[in-house]
């Protein structure tokens, strides 16, 4: 069965510094992988998705993620954090039938 | 184009009361889903409907029932609410069932006392 581990429950960065949110997955075959963002009291919004094309995936708002099969990782990065990036981020794997969510990483951005 | 809409936004129930959460999408999607979100646990799938006319259990179906009323609408019913069902409920839809991204509604915050 597919599973997702988000390695940090909370990440704190200063505005203008890089963001790294880590995600490892397990999958018995080539997975589809997603990152979603949830701002406080809002629904989830898709940031980006990987579906076996390019291993470096670019998303909205300057985020990108790299699929590394050898490391079973799909880490989310952004070169320069903005205050508006403060939110909870979910790494998600598709098991072919359904989405399996990680527990989430709360990103705090300090001014 | 409203995307996925949910009603109500907030609800407080007493233990044993029943209610139905409504969800509708205007994207002509085939598949729809109900999730609950609890702190530190991500989202857990309650029920899903891969296509109009079908429904299946997800990870945490106990205490819930669903109806896929038509292609647009997918409702979630709590027959006898319990405090353990206090949660935020999200409806989502996707173009098709396998490997597609899902689009989420704004959520319903339910408290059972």
């Amino acid at each position: 069965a597919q599973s997702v581990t988000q390695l940090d429950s909370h990440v704190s960065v200063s505005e203008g510094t890089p963001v790294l949110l880590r995600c490892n997955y397990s999958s018995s075959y080539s997975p589809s992988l997603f990152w979603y963002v949830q701002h406080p009291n809002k629904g989830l919004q898709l940031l980006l998705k990987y579906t076996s094309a390019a291993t470096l995936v670019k998303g909205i708002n300057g985020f990108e993620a790299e699929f590394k099969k050898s490391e079973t990782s799909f880490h989310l990065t952004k070169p320069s954090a903005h205050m508006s990036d403060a939110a909870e981020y979910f790494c998600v794997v598709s098991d072919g039938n359904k989405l399996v969510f990680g527990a989430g990483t709360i990103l705090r951005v300090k001014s | 184009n409203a995307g996925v809409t949910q009603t109500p936004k907030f609800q407080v129930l007493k233990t044993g009361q029943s209610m139905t959460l409504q969800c509708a999408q205007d994207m002509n999607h085939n598949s729809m889903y109900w999730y609950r979100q609890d702190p530190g646990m991500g989202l857990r799938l309650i029920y899903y409907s891969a296509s109009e006319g079908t429904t299946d259990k997800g990870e945490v179906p106990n205490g819930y029932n669903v109806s896929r009323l038509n292609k647009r609408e997918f409702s979630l019913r709590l027959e006898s609410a319990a405090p353990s069902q206090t949660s935020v409920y999200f409806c989502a839809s996707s173009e098709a069932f396998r490997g597609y991204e899902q689009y989420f509604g704004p959520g319903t915050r339910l408290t059972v006392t």
Side-chain angles (χ1 to χ4, degrees):
Chain A
Q2 270 66 13
S3 67
V4 175
T5 302
Q6 293 184 241
L7 298 168
D8 306 291
S9 60
H10 293 79
V11 170
S12 183
V13 301
S14 296
E15 191 174 22
T17 65
V19 175
L20 170 64
L21 304 183
R22 299 181 295 162
C23 172
N24 288 347
Y25 70 92
S26 68
S27 175
S28 55
Y29 51 87
S30 295
S32 294
L33 292 159
F34 309 85
W35 276 98
Y36 282 84
V37 61
Q38 184 180 29
H39 287 93
N41 300 312
K42 300 288 188 186
L44 279 75
Q45 180 185 18
L46 180 68
L47 271 181
L48 51 81
K49 62 178 179 179
Y50 166 78
T51 54
S52 75
T55 57
L56 183 62
V57 182
K58 292 189 185 301
I60 62 172
N61 300 334
F63 284 94
E64 62 183 35
E66 185 172 8
F67 174 72
K68 292 187 176 180
K69 187 175 182 179
S70 60
E71 298 176 10
T72 61
S73 69
F74 189 58
H75 301 336
L76 181 70
T77 61
K78 182 174 180 178
S80 177
H82 191 273
M83 295 298 290
S84 61
D85 295 327
E88 188 164 16
Y89 293 79
F90 293 95
C91 182
V92 183
V93 63
S94 170
D95 73 351
N97 291 323
K98 301 177 288 294
L99 298 186
V100 177
F101 285 75
T105 298
I106 294 173
L107 175 65
R108 179 182 169 218
V109 182
K110 298 175 289 186
S111 59
Chain B
N1 190 342
V4 180
T5 57
Q6 293 182 235
T7 55
K9 284 186 168 50
F10 301 93
Q11 184 71 49
V12 178
L13 292 178
K14 294 187 188 306
T15 298
Q17 288 184 318
S18 63
M19 78 162 294
T20 299
L21 281 63
Q22 306 287 355
C23 174
Q25 52 91 8
D26 62 2
M27 296 174 282
N28 201 35
H29 284 170
N30 289 298
S31 304
M32 298 184 74
Y33 313 81
W34 276 106
Y35 293 90
R36 59 177 290 170
Q37 183 179 29
D38 302 293
M41 301 186 75
L43 272 72
R44 292 181 292 167
L45 183 64
I46 304 171
Y47 271 93
Y48 64 95
S49 171
S51 60
E52 186 179 358
T54 69
T55 61
D56 281 290
K57 295 178 181 179
E59 183 184 354
V60 288
N62 291 344
Y64 306 95
N65 285 299
V66 291
S67 295
R68 182 77 183 265
L69 304 169
N70 48 54
K71 191 171 186 180
R72 289 187 64 247
E73 299 172 288
F74 188 39
S75 63
L76 178 72
R77 182 160 179 84
L78 287 69
E79 290 290 353
S80 179
S84 61
Q85 294 178 305
T86 293
S87 188
V88 182
Y89 292 85
F90 288 99
C91 177
S93 70
S94 63
E95 183 178 336
F97 188 43
R98 291 176 180 269
Y100 286 81
E101 64 268 30
Q102 295 179 13
Y103 295 84
F104 286 80
T108 294
R109 189 172 296 272
L110 174 67
T111 301
V112 183
T113 60

